[in-house]
Amino acid sequence: MPTTAASLPVDASPTPKPAVGHPGIQSLRVARKDVLADGVVRLRLEEPNNARVPDWTPGSHIELVLPTEDQGALSRHYSLCGDRWDAHAYEVAVLREPNSRGGSHYIHDVLAVGDMITVGTPRNNFLLTQGTRYEFIAGGIGITPIMTMIAAAEKLGIDWHLHYGGRSRVSMAFLDELAQYGDRVTVWPQDELGHLNLSFLNEPIENGRVYCCGPEPLLNAVAGAASEWPKWAVRFERFVPATQPPPVRTEPFELELTRSKKCVTVGTNETVLSALGNAGVPVLASCMEGVCGTCEVSVLRGTPEHRDSLLNDAERAKNDRMFVCVSRSITDKLVLDL
């Protein structure tokens, strides 16, 4: 895809040399497990032989495969929050979810220092791009990818401000680390101040960018408050998939696979991902909810129905890619680069 001014990675500082020969999945050791705030722990995951881990950029996440006893292996994705120049380890912060499906429970209550854990290669669906000013907005554990963006902005001398909301101060991670930035950080505990004040978004900033990560109500509020900003200037990272309307098309549709020389029918109650797998063309997938980006496939012709929670309006309008775990087709046929 051509690189535009809006899609250039902001971290233009020298990039570390890539790790050589690293597999897509590796085993890392839990070197530290620290309590950051009420209900939040930070894991430091180190390469056990002091080899390099794959490089990453601000906004990236990794997949952790958790070997729970009662549910088998669970796959969960967590934003990286450590130093991207640390070549031998990753750090993630994990919130204890009251209605945990098993992931946060395992990490908080079972996973221990010294344990080995399976980790996927970093992916980035929340890329920090060039701008002259950043408005960072975080809700609760949504602070994790924002911490890496702040570090990048500081390194490059780009103006920024963080608006950080949470249930209470004791539940908000990284407050001690953020204190060094003084009035460039607005801390907004809900039990003291109510909902985060978003009036600063009323007037767009020329060549500015908005980055927001947090729970769905905050994302919706930010989208409304930033309605006058260019769509490409406002980016979101979601914990859970966005609410989707009913599918546009319920009839079956065809897939033409240019490299495999196959035609595949996708049924009414079937995902593109499962249809491809049944046809002997498996696609790597993870979250199955359209939030992690693992199952991205290039679209050569046809119009996909985008049901993911990753692409913005401008990216959807290009119709040049889709996430096959959830997205479908508007047209009778899609031609895929598979």
Side-chain angles (χ1 to χ4, degrees), residues 108-121:
H108 277 258
D109 298 335
V110 180
L111 191 66
V113 171
D115 287 352
M116 299 296 294
I117 190 168
T118 301
V119 179
T121 299

Side-chain angles (χ1 to χ4, degrees), residues 217-229:
L218 174 62
L219 304 187
N220 292 338
V222 169
S227 60
E228 298 301 316
W229 288 66

Side-chain angles (χ1 to χ4, degrees), residues 133-207:
R133 163 81 176 189
Y134 297 122
E135 297 290 351
F136 297 127
I137 306 168
I141 198 63
I143 188 63
T144 49
I146 301 298
M147 293 296 293
T148 68
M149 294 181 169
I150 289 172
E154 281 289 285
K155 193 175 188 67
L156 295 172
I158 299 174
D159 191 25
W160 62 272
H161 193 97
L162 169 65
H163 310 264
Y164 181 16
R167 297 190 313 275
S168 63
R169 290 181 187 273
V170 296
S171 71
M172 299 171 71
F174 300 109
L175 289 183
D176 289 345
E177 294 179 33
L178 291 168
Q180 64 181 302
Y181 299 120
D183 59 7
R184 284 187 290 172
V185 175
T186 299
V187 177
W188 202 276
Q190 187 173 346
D191 62 348
E192 298 176 23
L193 302 171
H195 292 297
L196 192 61
N197 185 347
L198 300 175
S199 60
F200 62 90
L201 293 174
N202 291 344
E203 294 292 331
I205 298 171
E206 184 176 359
N207 203 27

Side-chain angles (χ1 to χ4, degrees), residues 49-71:
N49 299 310
N50 203 37
R52 291 181 67 95
V53 295
D55 298 320
W56 55 280
T57 51
S60 295
H61 66 268
I62 55 173
E63 176 186 13
L64 303 186
V65 181
L66 309 171
T68 62
E69 293 181 1
D70 55 341
Q71 301 181 57

Side-chain angles (χ1 to χ4, degrees), residues 293-306:
T294 304
C295 66
E296 181 177 342
V297 168
S298 294
V299 178
L300 303 179
R301 289 193 301 278
T303 305
E305 181 190 358
H306 300 288

